[in-house]
Amino acid sequence: MRRINQDWSGNQILAAMRNAWRRVDWFARGVSYQQMANGVMAAASFALKRERLRSWPVMVKIDISPVCNLHCTYCVHAGPAVDRTGILAEQSFAGGQRMPLAQFEAIVSQIAGHSAAVALYYIGDPLMHPQLPKLCSIAAEAGLNCHISTNFSFRLSDDRLAGIVQSGLSHLTVCVDSMRQDRYELTRVGGNIDLVLGNLERTLRVRKALGSRKPSIEVQFIKYQHNLDEVDRAAEWCRDRAVNQFTEYWGNLHNYADLDPSSYQTGDALEGQLFPRCAWPWFAMQVKYDGDVIPCCYHRVSEQYRHGGDARTVGNVISEGLFNVWNSPGYQAIQRLTANPELAQRREPVSDSFCYGCPAVFNTAGASRVITADTARWEDVYFRSSSGEVSRR
């Protein structure tokens, strides 16, 4: 079992290398020469700061459904009691928000032979999509590595688990924040750790019984001050059950809404440097369940499903075609901005860009809103109300 400590350091290059190493199992294994050549072209375009791309995105993230069954404190699905901005109360989700098979097939047919991988999640849990195994099989049959990340806190039948294992899914990440329910539910609000561990153990048994190497299974242990004494025990539990990878890193105690760019001041763009300040516009694309495209999955998260929100999408892969969006004027403007923010700001308006307010590109006050679990305790930020609800202090 690989054990990876993914704690972020002050060195962004080192952090990026660690992140890539963490994902090598599902991102690069078994790729064709054509997919490998596409990755090389993407890297060259990134290094040379090209705007017109011949390469396709190396990885496409598809939010097959933004709906989730939990209300984690960090997420846009958190209850309004953890929000100090009013933004969470304006989130709009419904059971019908899921990508149809035909639209998913259309996207996969476009990127097959070019992109190396698809990740079937963004802010929702992929198990909320009833046709998840079929989606995975469509990707696998097209020669794409396929990854999902789930809280796994569902009542899943053996047949459902077997269907997921046999679907062609390349990599399954299961999020475990504690081995104890009283600690787990502090951040995974509404979750049940016994369900999570039970589903994980049964999945491993099914995989073994089928003699399959897929999916590679990763347990992601998010660290907080209240669960540090469990990390080694959790890693041992995973090792004993043939989990492929155990990844640990510090969690966040703020909420996505705290980092909404509408709630803090944005200053001047940062200076250019040897390489672009963000790799996303050359390597990856985020597609929402309805085909709308945003350039990354980190910025403006709380605006994407906010009623009347400022999503700032840059196209739609269903109506326009993925490669056309990838090489659209809007995408090229984002590439110019991330390649040399200061120069772009001098030459063209940037305040309407999706990337405006992103700390990777601009001097912002957003960093003061970040609360990481290595510097604060859960009880410094949250408390349980008399009704048992997790609330913000």
Side-chain angles (χ1 to χ4, degrees):
M1 182 187 77
R2 287 201 311 167
R3 181 170 176 177
I4 297 177
N5 188 321
Q6 189 58 29
D7 293 341
W8 295 102
S9 70
N11 187 319
Q12 291 186 349
I13 295 176
L14 178 59
M17 289 174 63
R18 286 178 174 174
N19 212 24
W21 174 242
R22 170 192 170 193
R23 289 171 164 80
V24 70
D25 266 343
W26 66 269
F27 189 73
R29 292 193 187 280
V31 296
S32 68
Y33 288 115
Q34 187 176 355
Q35 290 168 319
M36 195 178 302
N38 181 69
V40 171
M41 281 197 297
S45 297
F46 169 75
L48 296 172
K49 302 182 179 180
R50 287 176 179 158
E51 294 174 23
R52 182 67 184 176
L53 303 181
R54 294 175 59 195
S55 58
W56 293 66
V58 176
M59 187 264 288
V60 178
K61 289 195 71 172
I62 303 175
D63 195 22
I64 57 174
S65 175
V67 181
C68 191
N69 59 322
L70 301 189
H71 305 284
C72 303
T73 52
Y74 179 55
C75 188
V76 292
H77 292 284
V82 309
D83 180 29
R84 295 186 298 191
T85 68
I87 291 173
L88 293 185
E90 298 172 354
Q91 301 297 307
S92 179
F93 298 104
Q97 292 173 314
R98 61 176 70 124
M99 179 170 282
L101 285 179
Q103 290 189 0
F104 183 80
E105 279 187 300
I107 296 171
V108 166
S109 68
Q110 294 176 61
I111 63 176
H114 305 290
S115 302
V118 288
L120 308 186
Y121 63 96
Y122 170 37
I123 59 172
D125 193 292
L127 285 172
M128 296 297 291
H129 200 300
Q131 296 168 301
L132 175 62
K134 179 61 177 175
L135 296 170
C136 295
S137 67
I138 290 170
E141 288 165 9
L144 292 161
N145 285 322
C146 182
H147 174 229
I148 66 170
S149 180
T150 175
N151 61 61
F152 232 23
S153 184
F154 293 83
R155 297 192 181 279
L156 302 172
S157 67
D158 289 343
D159 287 343
R160 182 88 193 276
L161 291 176
I164 292 171
V165 171
Q166 295 174 298
S167 67
L169 177 67
S170 306
H171 193 94
L172 168 66
T173 298
V174 176
C175 304
V176 176
D177 296 354
S178 174
M179 308 290 281
R180 291 172 39 178
Q181 179 62 23
D182 62 324
R183 293 174 171 181
Y184 176 78
E185 65 186 359
L186 294 178
T187 53
R188 298 283 176 182
V189 180
N192 185 313
I193 191 58
D194 289 336
L195 276 179
V196 176
L197 298 177
N199 287 333
L200 179 57
E201 199 157 20
R202 287 191 296 138
T203 302
L204 289 160
R205 284 203 301 264
V206 169
R207 187 183 67 172
K208 182 178 179 179
L210 292 171
S212 176
R213 297 180 63 186
K214 288 186 176 181
S216 178
I217 297 177
E218 172 192 14
V219 165
Q220 179 178 281
F221 192 97
I222 301 179
K223 296 186 295 187
Y224 298 91
Q225 300 290 340
H226 57 259
N227 66 10
L228 285 181
D229 60 331
E230 300 182 66
V231 178
D232 289 339
R233 183 164 66 89
E236 184 178 356
W237 187 96
C238 292
R239 187 179 297 109
D240 290 345
R241 289 160 178 78
V243 169
N244 300 90
Q245 181 173 314
F246 181 87
T247 303
E248 58 182 277
Y249 60 88
W250 287 108
N252 290 310
L253 289 169
H254 57 274
N255 183 272
Y256 279 128
D258 295 318
L259 305 183
D260 191 285
S262 66
S263 63
Y264 59 77
Q265 192 170 23
T266 296
D268 291 334
L270 298 173
E271 294 180 356
Q273 52 187 17
L274 179 60
F275 295 114
R277 287 188 169 272
C278 177
W280 269 81
W282 286 269
F283 288 97
M285 172 186 283
Q286 176 67 64
V287 180
K288 294 162 69 175
Y289 81 96
D290 56 3
D292 280 349
V293 174
I294 53 176
C296 85
C297 65
Y298 296 113
H299 190 47
R300 297 189 180 277
V301 178
S302 56
E303 292 294 324
Q304 297 310 310
Y305 295 98
R306 183 182 181 184
H307 183 69
D310 189 9
R312 302 196 181 189
T313 56
V314 291
N316 186 286
V317 296
I318 303 302
S319 60
E320 301 170 52
L322 188 143
F323 198 71
N324 289 334
V325 174
W326 186 236
N327 273 291
S328 65
Y331 242 104
Q332 290 173 0
I334 286 170
Q335 287 158 351
R336 287 193 296 274
L337 179 58
T338 53
N340 193 327
E342 188 180 46
L343 180 63
Q345 188 177 40
R346 288 204 307 263
R347 292 182 173 179
E348 57 190 307
V350 296
S351 59
D352 290 335
S353 172
F354 175 90
C355 302
Y356 187 72
C358 175
V361 186
F362 289 89
N363 286 300
T364 78
S368 64
R369 294 167 173 263
V370 172
I371 310 172
T372 53
D374 58 332
T375 61
R377 301 172 303 164
W378 180 91
E379 55 267 31
D380 294 331
V381 183
Y382 299 100
F383 70 98
R384 283 192 181 278
S385 67
S386 57
S387 63
E389 182 181 28
V390 174
S391 302
R392 190 74 168 263
R393 291 193 182 279

